[in-house]
Amino acid sequence: MRRTLPRRALTAALAALGLLCAGAPHLAAAAPPSGEPAPIAAARPAGPRPQAAARPQRASAQRAGAAGAHRKPAGGRAHGGGAQSGKAAGVPAGKAAHAQSGKALRGGGAPNGKAAHAAGTPRSAAAAPAEAPLDLALPVERVTLKNGLRVVLSPDESSPTVAVAVTYDVGSRDEPSGRSGVARLVMDVMAGSSRSLPAGEPQRLVAERGGELHAEADVDRTTYTAVAPANELALALWLEADRMKAPAPSAEGFEAQRRDAIERRGATLGAAHGQGAIRLSELVFQGYWPHEHPALGEANDLAGAELSWVRDFHVAHYGPNTAVLVIAGGFEAGAAMALVHEYFDGIPAVSAAPFKDVPFPEQTSQRTGVVRDSAARAPSILYGWAAPPPEHPDHHALALAASLLGRGESSRLQALLVGNRAVARSVQVAIDGHRGPDLFSIDVRLAEDAQVGDVEKLIEGEIRALSTAGPSQAELTRARRLLQSAFVSGLADASARARALGEHELLFGDAAHLNGELARYFAVTREDVQRVAREHLGPTRRTIVETYPPAVPGAAPPPRASTGAPRQDAEVATPGKGAEKAASGKAASGKGASKAAPGKATHKAAPGKRPAKARGAASRPAADQAPRKPAKHTKK
């Protein structure tokens, strides 16, 4: 019997299978609503149905390709412990693959293009856990408009809310030299206003209807999400179409965003341990501009930023042919496509500037950095390795290695450093999931009386043991189950599903490939984990950044990092006069900003309340006119 996973049974299934165990992180940006009311009939915006030729194509979703990524959460990296967000890899771009449609989650894809279905009936609590993954079959319909916009529909008519996510193929890696931080500036400008609406008006319109807006900029993508009651789909689509057109910010509005960017940079670098993660990425990607330079923006670049930068960057990278539009939640596909055609057909394609990649210089010896952090009360240690990209066959094995080392209290590093030796307060292990060279990292926050050198020996001993003996079968089983728990719970709400599907469609050419991600994790063997640890996590390819509290007058200098490795970096002071340039790195804000995770920035543009249940009929806005407030709506 195949195990299937309907949306309403997500949480119940996890609990029944014992997957929500202590220390298991969640991959969702928001937990699924508890006590969700039964759906009610809501009037949908009226209008003509799309022509037959434009209807989404339907086909089997059980196509799989190369292994993908264990993704980081919204606003941070995918960690071994703590709240996380799960996103995964898909079919390599350019291969045609259409998705199945339907109202229930039914089946899943499998590694290497073969169908893999979980077999057997659920076992009792006393029985050993099944090794086959849960089958996942999110309904997916795909269509491409004439202007190049890729549309993905994932309907769930039982949901009282709908999520619209537009993911653009642009991020900080596309910033030209001398204009670092412009990708985030564009995101902030577009998140707060649109072509037809002044600053703050998009947030007001959506919040009045019980919804919220969210935006996040990453190294290689930028996503805008609107969540609203199901009968407000027309509003969400109109707003995203208006965003896609050329922005028209005022000089005053741009200047306010520029000042905010400078303040955000200072706050990130001034937070406890904020400089360490930034410096780590700078050293790991040394000589590789797309990932080396700071998504936060260099101080000098932000000081000289101009409004024309925003316009130029939008013209070069924002258009229907550089975007994926995903609609997930409570809607009817035909009515949704009619709205998509009405609002997006008239937007012309752009002559998008292609990403200009550069060779990534191979690292042949250890790199080391030291940071003096005035906000830190105890030392911390960061390890980093350049890792293969999500489409590489080794990426899933590295994700499982991260889980084995740092996910949950019984993981190797948490058990050793936090439990047995009590030399650390926390351990996080991550693999980011970016295109191009990726980052595998270990973040250890030490206890106040712990010695950095001693802790480094323990960390390196565990990595060495994993690369020489590999994990036990029991360890691997546990790691798979924790990943499955986090992955499934991370898709429980429409907003998370919309973002994940959009990223799969953008990065790998097939949104439905998300359905095969669990099977690819479960296909990783003990030998695979041992091999990738040996090949990718070796001492000559690692970078270490040590962060220390402020120096005590007369105290000895900090010890060298990892015996036998030459130091390749001077100390970096806490940001101040003349220190900004030395402390540059990747952007970190929004959810997970306490970790100063490189490469992702978020903008939550609406009050943090859950979208309301649909009430009454929503007026349908014209293609060039802001939607009206529903007549029967009562403002909260």
Side-chain angles (χ1 to χ4, degrees):
M1 178 187 298
R2 290 171 56 190
R3 294 182 295 166
T4 59
L5 202 61
R7 187 187 72 85
R8 287 182 171 275
L10 283 170
T11 305
L14 292 173
L17 291 170
L19 297 175
L20 293 176
C21 41
H26 282 251
L27 295 173
S34 58
E36 183 179 280
I40 61 171
R44 300 295 200 275
R49 299 177 70 87
Q51 298 298 317
R55 289 303 296 270
Q57 298 173 337
R58 303 170 183 239
S60 172
Q62 298 177 9
R63 301 188 184 181
H70 173 46
R71 293 284 301 140
K72 64 182 181 178
R77 297 189 195 123
H79 296 295
Q84 301 184 12
S85 171
K87 300 166 190 176
V91 168
K95 292 197 175 183
H98 300 291
Q100 61 194 174
S101 63
K103 300 179 181 179
L105 305 176
R106 295 185 299 274
N112 303 321
K114 297 179 182 179
H117 304 296
T121 57
R123 303 185 180 185
S124 66
E131 275 295 286
L134 290 169
D135 273 345
L136 183 68
L138 294 175
V140 174
E141 303 177 13
R142 302 168 62 225
V143 65
T144 300
L145 304 187
K146 291 182 179 180
N147 56 14
L149 178 65
R150 286 160 284 179
V151 181
V152 177
L153 307 179
S154 184
D156 175 10
E157 294 184 1
S158 68
S159 174
T161 62
V162 65
V164 174
V166 181
T167 302
Y168 291 90
D169 188 6
V170 61
S172 61
R173 71 175 188 164
D174 298 286
E175 295 172 343
S177 179
R179 294 190 178 187
S180 62
V182 68
R184 173 65 194 259
L185 277 173
V186 172
M187 185 204 77
D188 287 337
V189 168
M190 292 180 63
S193 62
S194 68
R195 186 176 185 177
S196 303
L197 300 176
E201 190 65 10
Q203 295 90 321
R204 185 191 68 79
L205 282 173
V206 175
E208 278 185 349
R209 291 156 171 82
E212 64 180 20
L213 302 177
H214 181 78
E216 60 184 39
D218 211 333
V219 171
D220 55 2
R221 76 212 70 159
T222 301
T223 303
Y224 302 85
T225 308
V227 183
N231 66 325
E232 295 291 354
L233 176 60
L235 169 64
L237 289 172
W238 177 88
L239 178 59
E240 294 304 334
D242 206 46
R243 270 201 240 261
M244 189 175 288
K245 302 167 186 176
S250 65
E252 295 78 9
F254 168 76
E255 182 59 25
Q257 295 293 356
R258 190 185 68 84
R259 289 196 302 267
D260 287 347
I262 294 173
E263 293 174 2
R264 180 169 55 246
R265 184 179 192 278
T268 300
L269 296 178
H273 304 281
Q275 300 171 65
I278 289 172
R279 188 63 179 144
L280 181 72
S281 290
E282 196 173 57
L283 289 173
V284 169
F285 300 116
Q286 184 174 293
Y288 184 72
W289 166 258
H291 292 186
E292 176 189 30
H293 80 280
L296 278 173
E298 293 279 12
N300 292 339
D301 292 347
L302 292 177
E306 301 174 1
L307 178 57
S308 61
W309 295 11
V310 171
R311 293 173 177 149
D312 293 345
F313 197 78
H314 188 282
V315 168
H317 300 288
Y318 279 83
N321 51 316
T322 68
V324 174
L325 167 66
V326 181
I327 308 174
F331 68 94
E332 193 274 322
M337 280 306 303
L339 291 171
V340 168
H341 283 292
E342 179 177 351
Y343 298 137
F344 290 90
D345 276 353
I347 304 176
V350 299
S351 299
F355 170 61
K356 297 179 180 179
D357 204 358
V358 296
F360 179 63
E362 187 69 21
Q363 181 175 341
T364 58
S365 62
Q366 178 178 300
R367 297 169 185 163
T368 307
V370 174
V371 174
R372 284 291 188 182
D373 189 343
S374 62
R377 301 184 61 182
S380 66
I381 307 168
L382 281 167
Y383 281 76
W385 292 263
E391 66 271 17
H392 193 280
D394 289 348
H395 208 275
H396 281 86
L398 282 167
L400 279 161
S403 182
L404 289 160
L405 289 170
R407 186 186 289 273
E409 295 178 358
S410 60
S411 62
R412 291 193 175 196
L413 290 179
Q414 286 212 39
L416 176 64
L417 303 180
V418 180
N420 297 341
R421 300 296 185 92
V423 294
R425 295 177 290 115
S426 66
V427 174
Q428 302 283 347
V429 185
I431 187 164
D432 281 357
H434 293 141
R435 286 177 285 182
D438 202 6
L439 177 65
F440 185 105
S441 64
I442 299 174
D443 182 349
V444 179
R445 306 292 171 87
L446 273 60
E448 292 189 16
D449 57 347
Q451 298 299 310
V452 169
D454 295 339
V455 176
E456 286 176 349
K457 291 178 182 178
L458 295 173
I459 295 170
E460 292 163 17
E462 285 301 324
I463 297 172
R464 192 163 47 247
L466 191 64
S467 66
T468 54
S472 67
Q473 188 59 47
E475 280 184 294
L476 185 61
T477 297
R478 171 191 165 276
R480 288 169 174 168
R481 296 180 73 231
L482 287 174
L483 279 169
Q484 179 168 259
S485 168
F487 183 85
V488 173
S489 62
L491 297 175
D493 66 276
S495 178
R497 291 197 299 275
R499 291 193 298 271
L501 289 167
E503 291 185 2
H504 276 250
E505 182 69 28
L506 178 69
L507 272 62
F508 306 103
D510 184 14
H513 196 260
L514 178 67
N515 286 326
E517 191 68 353
L518 288 177
R520 289 185 286 277
Y521 281 123
F522 274 66
V524 174
T525 65
R526 296 169 53 198
E527 292 75 19
D528 290 333
V529 175
Q530 178 183 351
R531 177 183 54 79
V532 298
R534 182 176 65 251
E535 294 179 0
H536 298 290
L537 306 181
T540 61
R541 300 184 72 253
R542 73 186 173 209
T543 297
I544 303 175
V545 173
E546 301 166 346
T547 297
Y548 293 90
V552 178
R560 293 171 62 89
S562 290
T563 58
R567 183 170 298 283
Q568 298 187 13
D569 185 44
E571 287 192 25
V572 179
T574 300
K577 292 183 179 180
E580 286 279 0
K581 186 174 181 180
S584 64
K586 300 291 187 286
S589 64
K591 297 177 184 177
S594 62
K595 299 295 181 187
K600 176 170 282 191
T602 62
H603 181 110
K604 193 165 186 178
K609 61 181 180 178
R610 187 175 302 282
K613 188 165 77 171
R615 299 185 298 273
S619 58
R620 179 179 179 174
D624 58 350
Q625 178 181 354
R628 295 182 178 181
K629 182 178 176 181
K632 295 185 179 181
H633 177 73
T634 302
K635 183 176 179 180
K636 290 189 176 181

